[in-house]
């Protein structure tokens, strides 16, 4: 049972490492909605990894593929769409995504990003470089924040599990557990009676 509103899709935005893909997958599973990860779609279409697209075709070509993937993503209603960290910087993307469904900004601190992605080598804009990395993250986040803040809602994710992020997002969009629903444990404890 969910509280109040009918689930009509969702868009997750936020910096690299904010957990958009994991939370998006979890939310789509709970809501029985289709999950679409934009980077996966782009890789599928291009036949190569994001890192290779940046290396061989450049960022501008990647951004064009990203715009195209968004136009395609919003053509079917009710999806949970996880965006790449730079997607919401583009005005057309913002307009399409905001019109599609509630947009939730998964906020994360630079320190948390640095620790979550310290071993990650898949993100071309953040090739793990130890101590320098956190300052670069701070700068990039500051540049991007005005766009992220155009989301409909913000959810803080530091120190949260994927499940806790999903709980918060669903609650904020009015699709969390109904306030008077009884949570049933594995043995049926909590059953009224
Ligand atoms: C990017 C974030 C990446 C991916 C690409 C560019 C960015 O997605 O789209 O490497 O500009 O922040 P994630 O946010 O899923 O890492």
């Amino acid at each position: 049972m969910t509280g109040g509103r009918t689930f009509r899709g969702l868009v997750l935005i936020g910096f690299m490492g904010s957990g958009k893909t994991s939370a998006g997958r979890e939310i789509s599973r709970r809501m029985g909605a289709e999950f679409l990860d934009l980077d996966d779609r782009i890789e599928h279409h291009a036949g190569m990894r994001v890192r290779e697209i940046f290396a061989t075709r450049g960022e501008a070509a990647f951004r064009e593929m990203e715009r195209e993937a968004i136009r395609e993503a919003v053509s079917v209603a009710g999806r949970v769409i996880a965006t790449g960290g730079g997607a919401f910087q583009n005005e057309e993307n913002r307009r399409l995504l905001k019109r599609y469904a509630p947009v939730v900004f998964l906020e994360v601190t630079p320190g948390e990003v640095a620790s979550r992605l310290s071993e990650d080598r898949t993100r071309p804009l953040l090739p793990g470089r130890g101590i320098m990395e956190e300052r670069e993250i701070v700068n990039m986040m500051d540049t991007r924040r005005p766009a992220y803040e155009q989301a409909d809602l913000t959810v803080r994710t530091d120190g949260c599990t994927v499940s806790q992020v999903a709980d918060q997002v669903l609650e904020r969009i009015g699709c969390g557990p109904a306030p008077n629903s009884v949570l049933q444990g594995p043995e049926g404890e909590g059953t009224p009676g």
Side-chain angles (χ1 to χ4, degrees), residues 82-99:
T83 62
F88 216 61
Q89 302 304 303
N90 174 275
E91 206 209 319
E92 180 199 334
N93 295 345
R94 281 200 295 276
R95 190 172 45 78
L96 289 177
L97 293 169
K98 286 191 69 136
R99 200 168 60 189

Side-chain angles (χ1 to χ4, degrees), residues 15 27 102 114 121 123 132 140 151:
F15 204 76
I27 291 165
R121 297 291 179 277
R123 286 165 168 96
M132 274 303 288
M140 202 185 290

Side-chain angles (χ1 to χ4, degrees), residues 146-179:
Y148 290 149
E149 286 177 348
Q150 294 180 52
D152 300 304
L153 297 163
T154 298
V155 165
R156 296 224 171 105
T157 69
D158 275 29
C160 294
T161 63
V162 171
S163 180
Q164 287 167 336
V165 174
D167 287 345
Q168 285 193 69
V169 170
L170 289 171
E171 193 177 316
R172 297 287 302 283
I173 63 169
C175 294

Side-chain angles (χ1 to χ4, degrees), residues 47-175:
M48 59 177 120
R49 310 310 301 261
V50 168
R51 184 173 19 91
E52 297 174 81
I53 300 173
F54 270 73
T56 61
R57 304 206 197 156
E59 181 170 355
F62 173 81
R63 296 299 171 199
E64 180 48 43
M65 293 178 200
E66 191 171 53
R67 283 195 288 280
E68 188 51 40
I70 289 173
R71 286 183 212 121
E72 225 181 279
V74 300
S75 66
V76 175
R79 289 170 160 165
V80 175
I81 300 176
T83 62
F88 216 61
Q89 302 304 303
N90 174 275
E91 206 209 319
E92 180 199 334
N93 295 345
R94 281 200 295 276
R95 190 172 45 78
L96 289 177
L97 293 169
K98 286 191 69 136
R99 200 168 60 189
Y100 181 72
V103 175
V104 178
F105 168 32
L106 297 187
E107 194 175 32
V108 65
T109 57
E112 179 97 2
V113 172
S115 80
R116 286 185 194 175
L117 302 185
S118 61
E119 298 303 317
D120 185 281
R121 297 291 179 277
T122 66
R123 286 165 168 96
L125 293 180
L126 220 57
R129 281 185 298 258
I131 197 77
M132 274 303 288
E133 198 179 316
E134 193 165 330
R135 192 180 309 156
E136 286 173 36
I137 294 169
V138 171
N139 290 342
M140 202 185 290
M141 251 186 209
D142 284 349
T143 309
R144 292 180 166 190
R145 182 166 295 279
Y148 290 149
E149 286 177 348
Q150 294 180 52
D152 300 304
L153 297 163
T154 298
V155 165
R156 296 224 171 105
T157 69
D158 275 29
C160 294
T161 63
V162 171
S163 180
Q164 287 167 336
V165 174
D167 287 345
Q168 285 193 69
V169 170
L170 289 171
E171 193 177 316
R172 297 287 302 283
I173 63 169
C175 294

